[in-house]
Each structure stands twice: as structure tokens, then as C-alpha cells.
Amino acid sequence: MSLLPPEVHTALAQLLQALAASDNAVRSSAEEQLSTDWVQARPDVLLMALVEQIQGSEDPGTRSFAAVLFRRIATKSRKDPATGETKELFVTLQQAQKVAIRQKLLECLTREAISQVRNKIGDAVAEVARQYTDYNESWPELLGVLFQSSQSADFGQREGAFRIFATTPGIIEKQHGDTVLTAFTRGFKDDDVSVRLAAMEAFASFFRSISKKDQLKFYTLIPEILSILPPIKEAQDSDQLTKALIALIDLAEVAPKMFRHPFHNLVTFSITVIQDKELSDQARQNALELMATFADYAPQMCRKDASYTTEMVTQCLSLMTDIGIDDEDAADWNDSDDNDVDESDQNHVAGEQCMDRLANKLGGQTILAPTFNWLPRMMTSSAWRDRHAALMAISAISEGCRELMVGELDKVLDLVVPALRDPHPRVRWAGCNALGQMSTDFAGTMQEKYHQVVLSNIIPVLESVEPRVQSHAAAALVNFCEEAEKSILEPYLDELLNHLLVLLQSPKRFVQEQALSTIATIADSAEAAFGRYYDTLMPLLFSVLRQEQSKEFRLLRAKAMECATLIALAVGKEKLGRDALELVQLLGSVQQGITDADDPQSQYLMHCWGRMARVMESEFLPYLPAVMPPLLELASAKADIQLLEDEDQVAQVEQEEGWELVPVKGKVIGIKTTTLDDKHMAIELLVVYAQVLAAAFEPYVLEIMDKVALPGLAFFFHDPVRVASAKCVPQLLNSYKKAHGDRSPQLAGLWERTVDKVLEVLSAEPAVDTLAEMYQCFYESVEILGKGCLTGNHMAAFIESAKSALEDYQTRVKIRLEDKTEAEEGEEESEETLFAIEDDQTLLSDMNKAFHTIFKNQGPTFLPHWERLLNFYDVFITSSDATQRQWALCIMDDVLEFCGEQSWSYNRHIIQPLFHGMRDEIPANRQAAAYGVGVAAHKGGAAWSEFVAAAIPTLFGVTHHAQARQDDHVYATENACASIAKILHFNSSKVANVPDVIQHWLDTLPVVNDEEAAPYSYSFLTQLIEQQNPLVISQAPKMFTHIVQALEAETLQGQTLERVVASAKQLLTIAGVDANQVLASMPPETQQTVRTYFWK
């Protein structure tokens, strides 16, 4: 029975008809009427009327449309009349209205006979259920109806119930486990396959929503789930098999170990799916994806399986041969000018990507043997697709197998290099691809040891008759050259450039474009050595830039701009001469000709201006007024965000490039990433201008700070924008400081509004790696402003943010430890975990630098705020995690260094940690502890004298470590040496038998690595020489050699250097040592160094 008068339904029926009209004008008018007369004026009536349309209309199309519209309207935002809080529309209705609407909605669901309409009603039910769950309100009758529907005689009702569970798993989260188990078990055994699949999808969604602890009780369902798949495969139903595999992939991502017992059988089944060419490519690729997901999330389980690796490698290689099926001689492939065809859904691409994942997740020890069991045979096969697949496999696995392959590059190159002369063009293309990828993955080794092999074989490929092979050979050279030292490239420059100049004459524009990119890379790597080709190349590039700006040549001109400006950067301002002026004028002309938003020249141009600023420095200033407006427009861009309200809108956006779709509370938000990428790039270029132009950039600082940099710190749509903004802030402050002075009111005013925003984001930043960048932004800014720039409120806010960051860090560490206890024996930490640990280490390091900078500039005034974190220091200093111990030690060092005698107040937090730290197994921690003892002696005053004297034996222990002079340990050794010198020089009142300590200290020299430790050590040695200490004089040749070693290592500078050199001369004179005799035992280069300093 209708609760609304007939005229309401009449009006709504007319409106629904207009909303579905094909006439745009009629439809737009109806949308306006819907918004104004219904959504805003009477939303309760609208939702009730829509439900009654679903309930009463005889037309299935009307019922379906009303259900879709109900869901869309129910999710709109509206202020709650009761609280004023903005919520989704349905939950803002009065309780009686909500109850009446939801009851009718459930009646519609249970009575609807047409599956398509019932699914739309189910979506509306799921949306209302989600809102109840999100706002912690209850819909008590819903679960009963759904559980009843899941047992209905009508398979459509059963399927519909599970579809709702899949969309809104929160409604069953808190139910009794046995009830849920029974419902899903019944669903998995249903007579109808569509119900079984809906139950699988619902279970995957539900399983993901519950805690790991609660997941354990559902592991018993896995046999029931897996039994669903074989009958579907036997029926050769690819679509249904695809759905089932996607549900399994979801489960494998969340709890791969749930599949431990049936894993081998699942591997066997999946391999049969991948092999079955009667099934669709999508189904086969989903089976491959399922197996690859286990490699991602449970690599040890995959390694242990008897057949997993061998079978997966075999199937990947087989899929990789599925290429160019109707193009045996590659004629169509070579005639194509589009090198960016999307082939992501092709079998050969799926195989390549899977090989890459297997190598990265399982490692070379597991992957190399089964792969190279096939590759030599494939490389000698008469079928070009086999040879192509083998080469692409080498490209795919080289990154993940780097550690093992790098020692076998001779053998790998023996396979790859002959392919560059293969009769089939696609094999030659794949050979270029392999060499290019190897040049990146084995960067350094490939360039230093194999430059002759690579370059002498790939340069001739530039002469190929096929344009696509020519282009790819040039692209491979980019990979090789960007990692090569100029000394390696120099002998090949003539041959490289001669061939690339020929490619610039190619009739194919994409070949010309790639040739320009390769020339640009060579110029960037060769630097000044590229100068001799300047007179040949620059006129050609200028010619391209002067040509008429027709649309098809845009990218070519963009590449020419890139090439010209990279050459300018390589050869420098002096070589560029008057061409600099002409080049910037040409760039300006190109900029004026840009009218279309999609013109690729725009983005290239921004980088070109940045390079010219670096080349021309202050001479670039006249061009800033033309360069800055478009750059500021990009940097100030707002996020382009769209709320996608139905599946059609989502599908439409998915077809467009440059969008990221994010599900949020049952809706989908589209974010245009191309806009955000441009914004990020623009802010990075602003950093370049501020760095290069310094004070001259001042006119733009305030606008950029207020409209770009500070808002960018909280631009949560795009992490790179926040990172670039964090790098921009200190550079802008520095420009303003250089323009106005470090104590100017202008700088003070800018800092006042900047520091509050920076401190604010320290507490708001959600991403760990980006938070580290925010701390770097903070400490670099404080360093620029200098002493006393922080108020008490600033320091209190900083401590609050640090406290929050440390608590979050401890939570992450705890979760990782719990995960580790659940891991299988021998299971390595995942790549994701290793990255997370690395991010945390970076965060702690940057937080340390922030504390250091505050102590350095605020001194003891920071101590009352810092004390709030003492509990963290006490926990960290005793942690089993070396990173935490180092973090605490370094901050204790800062207290000692910058707080003088007041540091003694914290001695009970410092003394024992420093003793333990000097004995730490981690050399970086021994270094930090040894340094701390030295600053206590130097800066702490008399209160620390007893401690530092007692620390001397332990410091000697550091210098006597078994690996004391090895790379990882030498800084700890040299800091211990310097600290003993500081104790003897600054705070020796409690040191017993000083001569004996000096005797042993002399044996800890030389200090030839640490530029901070060396001045203290050698200043003390100089003092001993000036005092004509007999312990030194008696070892004059040895001490002179230690001084020479420091001079050769350049660890001494300025006045300290002059004083040490003078004392060395004095030492030789006093001791009566013949310098020539000492020199005779030294290498010729060292003798030259000595003469530079002593016999000028």
C-alpha cells in the first residue's frame, strides 16, 4: 500500500521518463528539477516515492531505473537537520521514515522475479546497509531476510543475498561465527553455479574485512571453495572460471597460508588452466595471476612446492611465444608507426610480467636454473617466437636475479649478442631490449667491463632497414649511456654520433624522435667531451625549432628542445656563447605558439627553461617574466576530482588515460593524475629556480610560498606534490634570506606563517616516506633561519608531532614482529616489509637531524620540551633493534654537545647507554657512543670528568676491534681516537697516568676518513709536538707519516691544516729527522703530496 498521494507518483513517473529521455535539453531540465524540487526540497518523499515505484511499477525498466536512482540519491551529502553535521542523505532522514523505506526496500528485494532488476534493488539495499554500518546504526531485520534469502528455493534470491554480502561485508562481521560458516558452506555447495560464485565473491569480501585472528576459524572452508573450480573448467565456461579465480586471488592476497595444505593440488589445477588454449585468454591469465600472487605473498610456500617453479617458468615462456600470430614476417609490425600500442591484455605480456615477478619474489637461486634450462634451446630454435621469448625472458628476470647473473654476464651476453644479427626483425628488437634492460639492471658492471661488447655490436643495429629496430637500438643506447662514465663513452662518441645523425634523416618521425633522445642522453653523460660535436648538432636542432609548428611535428620539436638544452648543460655557458640567447628566444617562440592543452611541448618546455636557468644563472633573469606565469599556473592547479555515481560513469572514465579510481564508502572517486603529475613537475622546477637564482628569485617567493608550497604540503591527493613542496619551502626561505638578510623583518614575517604550517603537517602527514621529507623540510628551514628562530610554542608543537610519529612507529614495529612470529621457518621478509623497514629507518634518521638542528639552534631552551620524550629514549636505547639504539644515542650526543653543563641533569639516561654503545656489535652505534664521550669531555664541563676518564679503556677497546680499520668500522675507530684526544685536551682532571694514555693513543692514529674527527686528533697531536712531548718526538718518523696520510686523504682544512703542517716541520727539526729518508719509503704520489705542502 502506498504511503504517498497519487499526484506524487504521477509527478515522479513523468520525471523518471524525462530523466531517461534521449533529448539532452529534456534530460538536463529534468536533472535540474530533480535536484531543486526533490533532492533539496523533500528528499524523504523522493526516496519513499522511488521505493514505491520499485514496488508498484509493472515496467521492469522503471523498477530498475528507480532502484539505480534511489542508490544515487541516498549517497548524496546533506546536513543532518538534527545535528548540522554533513552526512549521507539516507541516514539524515527521521527514524520512522528510514524504517518505512527500508522495510519496503526489503519487500521489493524478496518479491522481484527478474534477476537484472533484483540486482539493482540489491545494490540499493547494500548502499543503505553500508550507511547503517558506517554510522554505527542498526538494521536488525536485514540479516534475517538475507540469511533466509540465501536458503530460498529461488536460485536468484540465493544469489542476490550473497551479492549484497559481497558489497557490504560489514553487516555480517559481528555475527556468530558458526552462523556465518553454515551460510557460506551452504552457498559453496549450492546446486546453481552462479550462487556458488556469488558465495565465493561474498566470502572473499567478508574475509578481507575481518581481523587475522578471526580469519583462522574460516580456514576450514578452503576445500569447499576449491571444489567449485574443476566442474567449471570441465564445462569450459571461461567467464565463470574467471570470476572464481578473481575471488581466489583476493583470498590469496589476504591469507596465502590458508592454502598451504591444498597448495600443490591448486598449482596442478592452475597449470592445466594456463595450458588450456580452448579457454579464454582472460581465464588463463587469471590462473597465472593467482599463481603469481602466491609468489608475491608466500614465496617460501612456492619455493617448497615440488613443481611450482618449473611449471610456472615453463608456462610463462610458453605464453611469451604467443605473439605476432598473423604476422609471421613482421611486416605489419614494422609498418606500424605506433610504438605504444596497449598490449597489456596479451598473453606474451602476461608471461613477461609474471617472469619479472617470479624473479623478484623468488630470487635467482630459485628461478635461474629452470629458466636457463629452456633458454639455450629456445635461442637455437628455428621458430623466431621462441628466440624472441628467450630474449624477453632475460629482460624480465635480470633485475630479480641480479646478484647471481652479474657474475655470469659473459655467458648471458653470449646468448644475447648474436640475436642482434638475427634474420627476424622482432628477434633483433628483443635483443636490443635485453641489452638495454641489462644495461640498467647491471649498471656499472655492464658499462665498465662490457662496453666494447655492447657498443660494438649494437651500433651496427642502428643501420637496420627496419625503422622499429633502429629506434629500439637507439633506445637501448639510452639505457647504456645514462649509466656510463664519460671516460667510457669518449672513445665511441664519433661512431655513435655519426650513426645517430643518419637516423635524424629517417623518413619515420618516431626514429628521429628517438635519435634526439639518445643524443641528449649521450650529451648528458659525456658532459664537456661532447663539446666537439656542438657545432655540428646545434644548428640542426635550431633548424628543427625554427620550422613551422605543425601538429604532427610537436613531439619532434619537444625532443629537439630537450636535446638542445641538455647539450647546453653539458658544454656549459662559455661554449654556448651567443647561442644561449638564440636558444631561449626559440624556446620563447615555441611557448607563444602553444594553444592546445595536450601539446607535448608544454611539459618538455618547462624542463628546458629549468636547464637554461642552470646554464645561464643570473643572465636568465630577463626571461623569468615569460617563463613563470605558465609554470605558476601548473604549480597552483587544483586536484581534478569527480564523484562517479554509477557503473556507466566509472566505465567511461576507465576508458580515458590519466585517471586513478579510488573506492570510498561505496562510491568511486576519479582523480585526474595527469594534472597532478604536471603540478609535481612544476613545483620541482620552482625548486631549481630558487636554488639557481637565489636572491634574484625574491619577487616570486611570497606568491609561491602562499599559493603553491605551503598548500602543497597538505595536498593529500598526490604524495609527489607534497614531497616537492617540502623541498621547495627551504629554498624559498633561503632566497628571501639572501635578498633581505637573516635578521630582516621581511624574513621574520615569512617564517612566522611558514613554521606553523610546516609543524602542522608533521602531525598530519599519513605516509611514512613522505613524513620523513616533511621532517627534512623542517630541519632545513630551521637551519636557514638560524639561532633562536623557534618559540616555546613551536618547540612544544614539534615534540607533540614527534611523540605521535614515534608511537605510530612503535605500532608498526609491533605488527611486523607479530607477522614474523607467524612466518614459516626459512621464510624471508617480503619486499613490502623490507621497504617499510627502510622507510622507518629514513624517518628516524630525518627526525634525528631535526632534533640535532633544534638543539644546535635553541640549545638548553629545548630541554624542557625534549624531556617529554625521555621514555622513548629509555625504551629505544635498550631495544634489540640497532636502528632504535642509534636513534637514541645520536640524540643523547646532541644533548651533550649543545646543552653544556646542563646535560649532567640527564646523566642517568646517558652514562650506561654510552658504555653499552661503545661495545655495540653495530659499528655505527659504536661510532655514535664514542662521539658522545668526546662531546661530554669537550662541552659537558667538570661534572663529566669522572665518566670520561672511566670511558678511556672502553674507547681503546673500540680502536682495538678486530675489524677496526675496515670500511664499515673505521669511523667508529677514528671517533674513538678523536674522543680520547678530546678527553686529554679538554677534560683530563680525573685521568690517571696521562703519559701512559698518550702512549697508547698515538697508536690509534692515523685518522684519514672522518673529516670531523681528524681536526681534534691532529690538533692534539700538534699540541704534543709544540710541547716537545718525548713520546711523540721519539716516534717522529711514524708521527710524520700519520700526518702525511691525513694530508693525502684531505681530512684537514683551513687553519687546522696550516697549524698541523707547521708542527710537522717543527717535529722533523726537533727530532733531527731527515725528511728525504722518510719520503723514500712512501709511494711517488704521496711524495708529491708532501712536497706540495712542505716545500712550496
Side-chain angles (χ1 to χ4, degrees):
M1 183 183 78
S2 175
L3 301 179
L4 299 174
E7 57 267 24
V8 170
H9 281 293
T10 301
L12 183 62
Q14 293 172 350
L15 180 64
L16 291 176
Q17 189 174 1
L19 287 169
S22 57
D23 188 312
N24 286 338
V26 173
R27 198 166 61 251
S28 297
S29 175
E31 289 281 2
E32 179 64 30
Q33 184 187 351
L34 174 67
S35 176
T36 305
D37 298 348
W38 295 86
V39 176
Q40 295 176 29
R42 42 183 181 166
D44 51 341
V45 174
L46 173 61
L47 290 180
M48 177 59 80
L50 286 170
V51 170
E52 292 190 348
Q53 284 286 328
I54 301 169
Q55 191 177 37
S57 176
E58 295 182 1
D59 176 36
T62 300
R63 297 199 302 275
S64 181
F65 186 36
V68 170
L69 193 58
F70 178 95
R71 181 170 177 263
R72 184 176 129 200
I73 300 302
T75 63
K76 287 188 176 294
S77 296
R78 177 198 186 205
K79 284 199 172 180
D80 190 333
T83 65
E85 184 182 351
T86 299
K87 295 181 178 179
E88 289 169 295
L89 194 150
F90 181 82
V91 293
T92 66
L93 301 181
Q94 294 179 8
Q95 179 64 14
Q97 295 169 336
K98 289 190 287 190
V99 170
I101 290 170
R102 76 193 192 195
Q103 285 177 340
K104 284 182 175 287
L105 203 54
L106 286 180
E107 288 174 15
C108 295
L109 180 70
T110 55
R111 292 178 182 176
E112 182 58 57
I114 299 175
S115 62
Q116 289 179 322
V117 179
R118 184 172 53 246
N119 289 344
K120 299 296 183 187
I121 299 170
D123 291 342
V125 170
E127 175 55 40
V128 172
R130 181 194 62 76
Q131 291 189 33
Y132 272 115
T133 302
D134 287 352
Y135 291 97
N136 291 317
E137 296 184 22
S138 63
W139 187 355
E141 64 271 26
L142 173 63
L143 264 177
V145 170
L146 292 180
F147 278 131
Q148 188 174 354
S149 294
S150 72
Q151 302 173 48
S152 168
D154 181 352
F155 83 86
Q157 288 287 346
R158 301 197 301 274
E159 181 188 7
F162 284 114
R163 286 183 81 254
I164 294 172
F165 287 144
T167 307
T168 321
I171 61 179
I172 52 174
E173 274 182 36
K174 297 170 183 153
Q175 294 307 303
H176 194 277
D178 291 341
T179 306
V180 179
L181 263 173
T182 301
F184 278 121
T185 301
R186 188 178 288 114
F188 298 149
K189 293 180 177 179
D190 199 280
D191 293 337
D192 191 279
V193 68
S194 62
V195 178
R196 296 199 295 273
L197 290 174
M200 278 186 76
E201 291 168 350
F203 180 74
S205 180
F206 161 74
F207 193 82
R208 186 181 286 274
S209 71
I210 60 178
S211 69
K212 284 189 175 183
K213 182 179 178 183
D214 289 339
Q215 287 173 354
L216 294 173
K217 68 183 73 164
F218 295 99
Y219 278 24
T220 56
L221 290 176
I222 281 299
E224 303 288 353
I225 294 171
L226 294 181
S227 67
I228 296 170
L229 277 76
I232 299 176
K233 180 183 180 296
E234 288 170 16
Q236 293 286 292
D237 192 325
S238 292
D239 290 343
Q240 291 184 338
L241 188 56
T242 294
K243 288 181 181 178
L245 289 166
I246 289 172
L248 283 183
I249 290 166
D250 282 347
L251 291 171
E253 287 178 353
V254 178
K257 291 169 189 170
M258 179 167 61
F259 295 86
R260 182 186 290 112
H261 296 302
F263 184 63
H264 182 72
N265 291 337
L266 181 57
V267 171
T268 303
F269 173 80
S270 298
I271 295 300
T272 66
V273 174
I274 300 168
Q275 289 172 325
D276 193 340
K277 295 182 180 180
E278 298 301 314
L279 293 168
S280 70
D281 287 348
Q282 187 63 61
R284 296 171 67 199
Q285 289 176 27
N286 279 351
L288 187 75
E289 175 63 28
L290 174 62
M291 291 293 98
T293 300
F294 284 108
D296 290 340
Y297 294 94
Q300 187 69 2
M301 194 162 80
C302 296
R303 292 189 194 101
K304 286 182 176 179
D305 186 79
S307 60
Y308 177 92
T309 306
T310 304
E311 292 285 8
M312 281 294 288
V313 167
T314 302
Q315 294 312 311
C316 284
L317 291 172
S318 176
L319 289 172
M320 289 165 66
T321 64
D322 192 0
I323 184 171
I325 300 304
D326 298 319
D327 190 25
E328 186 65 32
D329 60 357
D332 293 343
W333 173 81
N334 195 52
D335 287 342
S336 172
D337 286 356
D338 186 0
N339 292 346
D340 297 319
V341 176
D342 183 12
E343 295 184 320
S344 58
D345 60 345
Q346 299 294 304
N347 283 340
H348 69 93
V349 175
E352 290 166 24
Q353 292 175 344
C354 188
M355 284 293 286
D356 175 70
R357 288 163 70 181
L358 293 175
N360 276 294
K361 299 300 182 179
L362 303 184
Q365 292 280 10
T366 303
I367 283 295
L368 276 180
T371 303
F372 276 86
N373 181 48
W374 282 105
L375 295 192
R377 285 180 281 170
M378 294 175 75
M379 284 304 303
T380 56
S381 168
S382 60
W384 71 263
R385 292 179 181 86
D386 290 347
R387 303 195 300 275
H388 182 280
L391 292 163
M392 296 305 289
I394 291 171
S395 300
I397 68 171
S398 61
E399 180 189 10
C401 301
R402 185 185 190 284
E403 289 184 10
L404 289 180
M405 284 180 70
V406 74
E408 303 290 337
L409 285 182
D410 288 333
K411 296 176 184 175
V412 179
L413 287 169
D414 285 344
L415 284 177
V416 173
V417 169
L420 299 177
R421 299 181 292 275
D422 195 279
H424 199 283
R426 295 199 72 164
V427 177
R428 274 179 275 129
W429 184 96
C432 294
N433 194 81
L435 280 184
Q437 191 63 51
M438 289 169 67
S439 296
T440 298
D441 293 335
F442 306 111
T445 304
M446 281 285 283
Q447 286 76 9
E448 291 165 18
K449 290 183 66 176
Y450 299 103
H451 55 86
Q452 198 277 332
V453 174
V454 174
L455 293 177
S456 64
N457 282 283
I458 204 166
I459 289 174
V461 185
L462 297 171
E463 301 172 7
S464 296
V465 295
E466 301 89 358
R468 291 191 69 172
V469 177
Q470 289 179 319
S471 174
H472 212 51
L477 282 169
V478 169
N479 292 45
F480 184 88
C481 294
E482 67 186 359
E483 301 291 348
E485 297 293 331
K486 57 185 176 183
S487 59
I488 288 173
L489 286 182
E490 203 163 348
Y492 301 95
L493 288 179
D494 284 346
E495 196 174 3
L496 280 167
L497 270 299
N498 287 335
H499 279 81
L500 291 167
L501 283 168
V502 172
L503 294 192
L504 289 178
Q505 312 305 316
S506 170
K508 294 287 188 179
R509 199 161 53 251
F510 70 84
V511 176
Q512 298 174 26
E513 290 163 1
Q514 182 57 61
L516 286 172
S517 290
T518 307
I519 292 169
T521 302
I522 293 171
D524 194 33
S525 294
E527 297 175 346
F530 200 83
R532 66 179 185 266
Y533 307 98
Y534 178 89
D535 294 333
T536 302
L537 276 165
M538 203 59 106
L540 291 174
L541 299 173
F542 279 18
S543 175
V544 173
L545 295 176
R546 290 192 194 100
Q547 290 172 8
E548 181 187 349
Q549 296 199 19
S550 52
K551 193 166 185 176
E552 64 270 23
F553 288 98
R554 284 173 173 175
L555 185 57
L556 184 67
R557 272 194 307 277
K559 297 277 188 179
M561 289 190 294
E562 176 186 54
C563 189
T565 52
L566 278 168
I567 289 174
L569 203 56
V571 302
K573 183 163 59 173
E574 187 176 336
K575 177 68 177 176
L576 201 58
R578 295 181 59 83
D579 284 347
L581 179 61
E582 185 173 0
L583 182 51
V584 292
Q585 287 173 343
L586 283 169
L587 296 178
S589 175
V590 172
Q591 180 164 299
Q592 289 173 358
I594 292 174
T595 55
D596 297 339
D598 63 347
D599 193 329
Q601 295 174 112
S602 297
Q603 195 172 74
Y604 278 82
L605 193 59
M606 297 298 172
H607 288 288
C608 291
W609 285 128
R611 292 186 198 107
M612 293 311 295
R614 288 160 64 190
V615 172
M616 299 173 70
E617 297 174 323
S618 61
E619 293 175 24
F620 186 75
L621 285 173
Y623 304 98
L624 268 187
V627 170
M628 290 301 292
L631 187 62
L632 287 172
E633 184 180 351
L634 280 179
S636 307
K638 306 294 182 188
D640 187 350
I641 300 171
Q642 291 186 19
L643 176 62
L644 309 175
E645 297 184 331
D646 57 45
E647 293 173 1
D648 292 339
Q649 288 181 324
V650 171
Q652 182 179 343
V653 169
E654 282 180 331
Q655 297 303 312
E656 301 177 24
E657 286 188 13
W659 284 87
E660 180 182 350
L661 301 183
V662 181
V664 179
K665 289 191 173 182
K667 307 171 189 175
V668 176
I669 293 175
I671 303 173
K672 193 162 189 179
T673 53
T674 49
T675 303
L676 305 185
D677 291 338
D678 289 346
K679 181 181 179 76
H680 167 231
M681 177 268 294
I683 299 173
E684 284 192 321
L685 287 172
L686 291 174
V687 175
V688 171
Y689 288 130
Q691 284 174 329
V692 171
L693 301 174
F697 198 62
E698 186 273 346
Y700 302 96
V701 166
L702 293 180
E703 180 183 3
I704 295 170
M705 187 71 89
D706 292 338
K707 294 183 179 178
V708 177
L710 293 181
L713 294 175
F715 194 83
F716 295 112
F717 300 105
H718 199 52
D719 292 2
V721 167
R722 301 202 301 284
V723 171
S725 299
K727 294 186 183 305
C728 193
V729 167
Q731 295 301 329
L732 295 174
L733 289 170
N734 194 46
S735 293
Y736 222 58
K737 175 182 174 179
K738 290 190 173 182
H740 294 286
D742 57 358
R743 289 291 174 255
S744 64
Q746 293 93 331
L747 180 62
L750 178 61
W751 174 239
E752 186 177 348
R753 62 180 185 271
T754 299
V755 64
D756 289 336
K757 188 66 178 178
V758 174
L759 286 167
E760 184 182 314
V761 298
L762 291 183
S763 295
E765 175 54 53
V768 175
D769 55 343
T770 309
L771 181 58
E773 298 283 354
M774 296 302 166
Y775 273 97
Q776 184 176 342
C777 170
F778 173 77
Y779 72 70
E780 287 181 355
S781 299
V782 171
E783 193 67 64
I784 288 164
L785 268 291
K787 294 196 178 295
C789 66
L790 298 174
T791 66
N793 287 338
H794 293 151
M795 290 186 279
F798 172 83
I799 289 297
E800 194 60 41
S801 70
K803 180 173 178 289
S804 174
L806 291 171
E807 288 170 345
D808 291 344
Y809 165 75
Q810 288 179 320
T811 300
R812 292 191 296 273
V813 170
K814 182 181 177 184
I815 292 171
R816 286 198 290 265
L817 286 173
E818 290 172 355
D819 290 344
K820 200 168 184 178
T821 59
E822 296 174 6
E824 291 185 43
E825 185 179 346
E827 185 174 350
E828 298 172 2
E829 288 179 310
S830 69
E831 190 176 73
E832 182 182 358
T833 299
L834 293 175
F835 281 139
I837 292 171
E838 186 178 336
D839 286 343
D840 274 331
Q841 289 173 341
T842 303
L843 174 61
L844 289 181
S845 174
D846 281 312
M847 289 181 73
N848 251 339
K849 291 171 186 173
F851 279 99
H852 173 83
T853 306
I854 299 174
F855 273 121
K856 177 182 173 183
N857 288 284
Q858 300 296 137
T861 62
F862 184 45
L863 286 173
H865 306 283
W866 169 80
E867 282 182 359
R868 293 179 53 200
L869 301 182
L870 271 173
N871 287 339
F872 288 100
Y873 305 133
D874 292 342
V875 170
F876 278 36
I877 202 69
T878 56
S879 170
S880 60
D881 181 357
T883 301
Q884 293 184 32
R885 299 197 301 276
Q886 185 182 14
W887 185 85
L889 283 167
C890 287
I891 292 180
M892 294 305 180
D893 289 352
D894 291 329
V895 173
L896 289 163
E897 186 168 1
F898 300 112
C899 299
E901 295 180 359
Q902 293 186 44
S903 62
W904 180 252
S905 303
Y906 306 97
N907 71 84
R908 67 182 183 87
H909 298 279
I910 295 176
I911 289 176
Q912 282 307 312
L914 289 185
F915 273 119
H916 289 310
M918 287 187 284
R919 301 185 186 100
D920 199 297
E921 61 183 9
I922 304 300
N925 292 354
R926 295 201 302 278
Q927 176 187 345
Y931 179 83
V933 175
V935 290
H938 185 193
K939 303 290 182 69
W944 288 97
S945 58
E946 191 169 322
F947 160 70
V948 298
I952 288 175
T954 312
L955 286 169
F956 276 124
V958 174
T959 69
H960 294 150
H961 189 280
Q963 298 171 298
R965 292 291 171 180
Q966 293 187 7
D967 287 349
D968 290 342
H969 299 261
V970 71
Y971 284 90
T973 303
E974 294 186 350
N975 270 269
C977 169
S979 290
I980 297 168
K982 290 176 188 177
I983 296 169
L984 294 172
H985 181 69
F986 296 109
N987 209 332
S988 61
S989 63
K990 298 292 175 66
V991 178
N993 198 352
V994 170
D996 190 47
V997 175
I998 293 174
Q999 177 71 59
H1000 287 94
W1001 175 78
L1002 293 173
D1003 293 333
T1004 67
L1005 293 168
V1007 177
V1008 293
N1009 293 277
D1010 195 314
E1011 294 180 3
E1012 290 186 28
Y1016 290 102
S1017 299
Y1018 285 97
S1019 292
F1020 182 61
L1021 179 60
T1022 296
Q1023 178 184 321
L1024 295 175
I1025 294 170
E1026 290 169 350
Q1027 294 171 350
Q1028 298 189 22
N1029 187 293
L1031 295 170
V1032 177
I1033 304 303
S1034 64
Q1035 302 180 70
K1038 183 178 178 182
M1039 295 303 109
F1040 181 75
T1041 300
H1042 288 333
I1043 291 172
V1044 168
Q1045 289 172 309
L1047 297 177
E1048 190 174 32
E1050 298 181 350
T1051 54
L1052 300 172
Q1053 305 292 331
Q1055 291 183 347
T1056 303
L1057 172 63
E1058 293 174 6
R1059 188 177 167 214
V1060 171
V1061 169
S1063 70
K1065 292 177 181 177
Q1066 182 184 357
L1067 174 63
L1068 294 175
T1069 303
I1070 295 170
V1073 172
D1074 183 350
N1076 290 319
Q1077 284 185 340
V1078 179
L1079 281 176
S1081 63
M1082 298 180 183
E1085 315 87 66
T1086 306
Q1087 293 182 34
Q1088 184 61 41
T1089 300
V1090 174
R1091 290 191 173 91
T1092 301
Y1093 286 108
F1094 292 95
W1095 289 280
K1096 294 182 181 178

